[in-house]
Amino acid sequence: VYPPESARWNRLEADCRDIAQRFGYGEIRTPVFEATELFRRGVGETTDIVEKEMYTFLDKAGRSMTLRPELTAGVVRALLEHKLLAQGAQRLYYIGPFFRYERPQAGRYRQAHQFGVECFGVAGAEADAEVIQIAAMLIARYGIGEAALNINSVGDPVCRPRYREALLAHFRPHADTLSADSQRRLERNPLRILDSKDSLDAALVATAPTMVEYLCDDCRAHFDALRRYLDALGIAYAINPKIVRGLDYYTRTVFEFVSGAIGAQGTVCGGGRYDGLVAELGGPPTPGVGFGLGLERFLMVVEKVAGEHAPPRRGIQAIALGEAARERLIAIVGALRERSPEPAFADWQDRKLTAHFKTADRNRARWAVILGDQELALDQIVLRDLIAREDRQLPLAGSAAEVARILVEATG
Ligand code: ATP
Ligand code: MG
């Protein structure tokens, strides 16, 4: 990622941070690799991630390490190691890379980046609505409201076993017609079949019983509360019984924001509640809810839906024509850079004026200052407005700092 694309990343990351802090979430930074065992337990043995997508290696001491395939497990490991859960609810966000051994294609990479949030210690659906609002706000800020929110409940250890039985009863009689992946999932984790994109599975998946029919009273009350809160926040959603999420540790709420703008890889953000995770990783039973939002996919959707906007012109291109002018301008540009947060671009090579203007356009400079022998003789410096294409003469009097001050004033 390099300029000008990296500027889009900077803006998006700044917006993620801005929105997270509005909700009282603080940043957590965890290591890029952890012990493999953490992900086996924290992500789940029957997930695609653990079954086939992890970058796992032995370190020099023979320990099995894994490049993080998602960030939640590492966050929980850190919370436990630093005993942060003892302080009460934890609201955290992260931005960083994760790694999955997948077939690379548009919107699917082996190193990708997520913005994610985690809220630990709040059992009620208020927390679910809160994290969903964070993602919804980011999506709205970028004008990609077509990315639709789908929600579902996957129940809890009370009601999911009954649903699992119902699914087995539905799929088993036709097991031989299922895709190979789904046949493998049938006994291990039949919920995952609902997630299948294989056309062999489509008909049976379409007629499968849905979790919402099997929810226990507590899970139903939680789901109903979430729906009321989303309505109260003015966040539109659809209930989609096919959303189960790939990770084993989800309980109750699961959700995705899905865009139709970029084809098959349209899930921009996925999340849900994982009330069993902290205990699974050896901590005190602690509810949790959060999401991961893929920054690459988000930017792809923005480009498709909102169009590519040329970045606004900013700053000053300094153009010296000749050796004497260069000597003088170096000090002025140095002073400008100390004085103004706007960029001061300078290409000190001996080139024609038109070549310098091309560079200014490529830098998307807002102004140019031009200094040559003629201007030096008149004690003037030319300030060109690169949008209006108009020139002004400014006095070249006093120290470099004084000229810089005049330039900052004239371009402010
Ligand atoms: P998918 O169904 O596309 O494989 P997933 O369920 O594996 O997604 P999560 O583990 O929930 O995805 O990750 C959250 C988000 O991270 C996804 O919604 C997506 O935007 C992004 N993401 C996941 N895998 C990749 C990848 N290989 N390359 C780029 N972005 C990814
Ligand atoms: Mg995946």
Side-chain angles (χ1 to χ4, degrees), residues 248-262:
D248 283 355
Y249 53 61
Y250 282 100
T251 51
R252 296 189 171 164
T253 308
V254 288
F255 64 89
E256 293 183 347
F257 284 86
V258 187
S259 168
I262 54 168

Side-chain angles (χ1 to χ4, degrees), residues 25 72 75-76 79 85 89-91 117-125 127-128 131 222 249-255 271-279 284-291:
Y25 284 62
T72 300
V75 168
V76 174
L79 290 179
L85 292 170
Q90 291 287 323
R91 288 178 161 82
V117 308
E118 320 272 8
C119 175
F120 286 102
V122 183
D128 310 36
V131 301
H222 188 96
Y249 53 61
Y250 282 100
T251 51
R252 296 189 171 164
T253 308
V254 288
F255 64 89
R273 178 165 277 283
Y274 22 84
D275 290 345
L277 178 63
V278 176
T286 309
V289 57
F291 66 73

Side-chain angles (χ1 to χ4, degrees), residues 335-377:
L336 266 178
R337 287 171 175 160
E338 284 182 353
R339 191 173 273 269
S340 166
E342 294 298 302
F345 306 100
D347 169 7
W348 299 113
Q349 300 179 76
D350 266 324
R351 296 191 304 158
K352 292 217 166 64
L353 191 55
T354 50
H356 281 295
F357 282 137
K358 271 202 187 119
T359 306
D361 277 341
R362 207 174 56 230
N363 288 331
R364 296 208 52 80
R366 172 70 183 80
W367 309 89
V369 289
I370 305 145
L371 192 61
D373 291 339
Q374 226 177 318
E375 287 77 22
L376 282 174

Side-chain angles (χ1 to χ4, degrees), residues 259-306:
S259 168
I262 54 168
Q265 261 57 256
T267 305
V268 176
C269 171
R273 178 165 277 283
Y274 22 84
D275 290 345
L277 178 63
V278 176
E280 174 67 33
L281 293 177
T286 309
V289 57
F291 66 73
L293 180 143
L295 297 184
E296 286 83 0
R297 287 195 202 168
F298 190 91
L299 288 171
M300 280 172 69
V301 173
V302 170
E303 189 172 338
K304 254 296 186 345
V305 175

